[in-house]
Structures are given as C-alpha cells and as structure tokens.
Amino acid sequence: LSLRRQRQMCIRDRRNTLRPDSPCAGYCSTSHGDEICKGCGRTFVEVINWIIYDDDEKAAVWARLEAAGLVKR
C-alpha cells in the first residue's frame, strides 16, 4: 500500500475506534413519526439503514452529525 493509503486507513481506523458503533442516544423519536431523531440527529432513513451501511456511509453520517454539533455522547 502507498503511504497515502496507509495514512487514510490509519485515520479511518482511529476515527472509528473513538466512536461508539452507533450514534443512537437511546431515545429514538423516529419511532414516533419524526423524520429527524431528537435523540441522535439521524434521519429516519439513516436509522433504519444503519445496520446495512458500510464504513464509508457511516463515516459520512458521523461527519454530518459532528459538524452540526448533534453528537450527544
């Protein structure tokens, strides 16, 4: 692997190890009809598809939540 690719993998690994598996905060309002969860900030689609998202898709959601200041953990 190139040095650049190794660095990207290291950053990805480090970023993922600092995060819990899911941004779920334990009180999901999408189950009550909200389009955006009041607990974690994910959309209804993100919540139901989280289990099938790959690492890059999950990282994109995490990045959006972090940029918006929605990560509550």
Side-chain angles (χ1 to χ4, degrees):
L1 294 174
S2 71
L3 181 58
R4 179 179 176 184
R5 180 69 180 139
Q6 289 175 359
R7 193 173 295 141
Q8 288 172 335
M9 289 174 65
C10 181
I11 290 169
R12 180 179 293 147
D13 290 344
R14 184 177 29 184
R15 180 183 61 217
N16 289 339
T17 59
L18 296 176
R19 294 179 177 148
D21 181 51
S22 166
C24 181
Y27 45 97
C28 187
S29 66
T30 62
S31 62
H32 301 288
D34 289 343
E35 181 60 31
I36 305 291
C37 180
K38 291 178 180 142
C40 69
R42 290 180 292 169
T43 66
F44 175 74
V45 172
E46 291 168 342
V47 170
I48 62 171
N49 288 317
W50 189 261
I51 192 84
I52 61 171
Y53 278 176
D54 63 27
D55 289 342
D56 290 334
E57 290 169 311
K58 288 180 179 181
V61 173
W62 275 109
R64 181 182 60 77
L65 296 173
E66 289 167 347
L70 295 173
V71 177
K72 296 186 168 68
R73 294 180 181 206

